[in-house]
Amino acid sequence: MSKMTINAKTRTVAGKTAAKKLREAGSIPAVMYNDKGEATMLEVNEVEFNKVWRTITPTTSISLVVDGKENLALIKDAEYNIRTDKVLHADFFVPAADQKLVMTIKVHYKGTPAGVLKGGFKKERNNKIKIKAAIADLPEEITADISKINVSEALRVKDLSIGDKVEILTDANLPLVTVSPAR
């Protein structure tokens, strides 16, 4: 997937009145935090932000261009008003390039287990694992093929292949999907 970009400008005014004026002008007040905990106030275009925010996962890194300077960032939080269907505020996190981030990521399954075709029952035991990687190496999603699992077998965390730059912190023997025999 191509790297998504959000353009932003630094802002100097803060407070409810300033935020309200920004929203009326079609922008969203935002804050960018770095790895030292320092914050920078930003304003981002509402339409541009929504296009990206509605299509990403929590581990998707985006290109945040602040006043012409590009940063690799994660959208950490977005304050959303469900009644008006509008984002009110956004938080971005820009870690150091070599900083290892610990994230929880969902595992998606594809295929029908061979054991199910023979009369067994598929049971999804876990679908989230904890990983550690630099921001540039974070996978957007993990998809596992479960079509080779027979009756009384399991897909375990150690069976996932997600690259050598990503460290899996979840127990390697944890079963993700099992196929139990028919009674």
Side-chain angles (χ1 to χ4, degrees), residues 5-10 32 40 42-44 48 63-72:
T5 303
I6 295 178
N7 294 299
K9 295 185 283 188
T10 53
M32 176 180 71
T40 306
L42 305 173
E43 67 176 87
V44 296
E48 188 177 338
S63 176
L64 180 65
V65 181
V66 181
D67 297 330
K69 185 177 179 277
E70 187 173 351
N71 303 288
L72 208 52

Side-chain angles (χ1 to χ4, degrees), residues 38-64:
E38 299 164 343
T40 306
M41 294 189 312
L42 305 173
E43 67 176 87
V44 296
N45 181 284
E46 181 180 16
V47 174
E48 188 177 338
F49 179 81
N50 279 323
K51 281 181 185 174
V52 172
W53 180 66
R54 294 182 190 273
T55 60
I56 63 168
T57 66
T59 56
T60 304
S61 58
I62 59 163
S63 176
L64 180 65

Side-chain angles (χ1 to χ4, degrees), residues 110-145:
K110 70 174 184 176
T112 302
V116 170
L117 300 175
K118 296 175 185 172
F121 296 101
K122 177 180 103 172
K123 172 76 174 155
E124 289 187 21
R125 303 213 173 265
N126 298 294
N127 67 348
K128 291 186 180 176
I129 61 169
K130 199 171 268 197
I131 60 171
K132 184 177 186 180
I135 188 167
D137 301 325
L138 281 174
E140 271 186 51
E141 63 180 32
I142 298 173
T143 304
D145 183 14

